[in-house]
């Protein structure tokens, strides 16, 4: 099945550092989504992007919908320990199908 | 409390023994979906439903069945489970098909021996 290429796979960072992760696809998407998953729970939506070039923020998180509609990135500024988790990008193909990235596991060192 | 519930949360079974994982939402959502999560592969969509009696295949439907007889319930059926279906399964729902805010259930960890 189709998958998104998400990088990095994992990262250790110091508290207070900025974090950047991205997703690329060979297909065009009409929506890009970013989710966070904490241990033992389902993913929770962080940011949704609907138009090419769109830049959207949610607190310390900023995400952009790539101009080509084949990529997106997520930035986290001034990371804190509770940012730990797995971050997934997802693209919506058409109206009903979602394709998820393989995830970026973030670990924050206090 | 608005939520998506799944049962069971954990299940160990043997090859070939039919099982059903239930999913229920209390938000009157039209769209529901099943995903499996495997290490290194992220979440992959198995089946989705746009409304009652309307379902369609996702990316990895082989070996699974679903039904949507009522709006709130969307069970996932494994008629003859095999070890390669050992995975973490998530049900999700959203108000309308194509609306981005999918609410995920807590997950069901299935082991097929």
């Amino acid at each position: 099945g189709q998958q998104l290429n998400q990088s990095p796979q994992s990262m250790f960072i110091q508290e207070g550092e900025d974090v950047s992760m991205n997703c690329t696809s060979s297909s065009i998407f009409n929506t890009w989504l970013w989710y966070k998953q904490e241990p033992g729970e389902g993913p929770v939506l962080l940011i949704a992007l609907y138009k090419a070039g769109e830049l959207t923020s949610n607190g310390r998180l900023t995400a952009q919908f790539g101009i080509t509609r084949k990529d997106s990135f997520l930035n986290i500024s001034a990371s804190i320990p509770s940012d730990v988790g797995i971050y997934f990008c997802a693209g919506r193909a058409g109206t009903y199908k979602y394709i998820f990235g393989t995830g970026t596991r973030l670990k924050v060192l206090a | 409390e608005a939520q998506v519930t799944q049962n069971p949360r954990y299940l160990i079974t043997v090859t070939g023994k039919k099982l059903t994982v239930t999913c229920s939402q209390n938000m009157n959502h039209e769209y529901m979906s099943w995903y499996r999560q495997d290490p290194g592969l992220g979440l992959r969509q198995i089946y989705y439903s746009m409304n009652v009696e309307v379902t369609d295949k996702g990316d990895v439907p082989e070996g699974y069945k679903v039904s949507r007889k009522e709006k709130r319930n969307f069970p996932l059926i494994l008629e003859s489970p095999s070890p390669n279906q050992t995975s973490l399964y998530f049900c999700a729902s959203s108000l309308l098909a194509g609306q981005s805010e999918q609410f995920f259930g807590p997950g069901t960890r299935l082991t097929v021996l």
Side-chain angles (χ1 to χ4, degrees):
Chain A
Q2 188 180 2
Q3 279 185 291
L4 299 178
N5 296 314
Q6 187 171 348
S7 64
Q9 284 189 332
S10 64
M11 51 198 314
F12 284 86
I13 60 167
Q14 291 284 340
E15 183 177 357
E17 286 184 350
D18 295 345
V19 175
S20 185
M21 59 191 79
N22 67 80
C23 272
T24 59
S25 170
S26 56
S27 305
I28 289 174
F29 290 115
N30 53 37
T31 299
W32 279 95
L33 310 166
W34 284 92
Y35 287 85
K36 180 186 178 187
Q37 183 181 27
E38 299 191 10
E41 298 181 9
V44 174
L45 183 68
L46 298 173
I47 292 179
L49 302 159
Y50 302 101
K51 293 193 315 187
E54 180 181 352
L55 186 71
T56 297
S57 293
N58 178 6
R60 294 178 294 105
L61 279 61
T62 302
Q64 184 159 29
F65 192 142
I67 290 290
T68 64
R69 297 170 63 191
K70 293 182 178 181
D71 62 337
S72 178
F73 73 75
L74 174 71
N75 285 343
I76 305 172
S77 63
S79 57
I80 59 178
S82 62
D83 289 334
V84 165
I86 305 176
Y87 291 79
F88 289 101
C89 62
R92 188 166 70 214
T95 304
Y96 306 117
K97 292 185 70 170
Y98 292 86
I99 310 296
F100 277 73
T102 50
T104 294
R105 186 180 295 271
L106 180 63
K107 299 185 182 182
V108 180
L109 305 172
Chain B
E1 180 190 351
Q3 59 184 348
V4 178
T5 57
Q6 295 178 225
N7 281 293
R9 293 290 312 278
Y10 303 91
L11 179 61
I12 300 175
T13 189
V14 295
T15 299
K17 186 176 181 184
K18 180 180 178 180
L19 65 93
T20 299
V21 184
T22 65
C23 173
S24 183
Q25 49 90 7
N26 61 1
M27 297 170 279
N28 201 36
H29 284 176
E30 289 189 355
Y31 181 88
M32 298 185 75
S33 184
W34 276 103
Y35 297 86
R36 60 177 290 174
Q37 183 176 16
D38 302 289
L41 297 178
L43 286 95
R44 293 179 292 168
Q45 194 170 29
I46 303 171
Y47 268 95
Y48 57 90
S49 169
M50 296 78 89
N51 213 324
V52 175
E53 302 289 5
V54 185
T55 63
D56 206 348
K57 297 176 181 178
D59 254 8
V60 288
E62 295 79 19
Y64 304 94
K65 284 175 53 177
V66 293
S67 69
R68 187 93 182 272
K69 295 187 173 64
E70 310 163 276
K71 201 170 189 179
R72 64 184 295 127
N73 296 323
F74 189 45
L76 179 70
I77 303 154
L78 284 72
E79 295 269 5
S80 184
S82 62
N84 64 12
Q85 293 178 296
T86 292
S87 188
L88 179 58
Y89 291 87
F90 287 101
C91 179
S93 73
S94 63
L95 183 59
L96 298 171
Q99 193 176 63
S100 299
E101 179 76 74
Q102 281 193 85
F103 292 88
F104 281 79
T108 294
R109 186 166 292 282
L110 172 66
T111 301
V112 183
L113 302 174

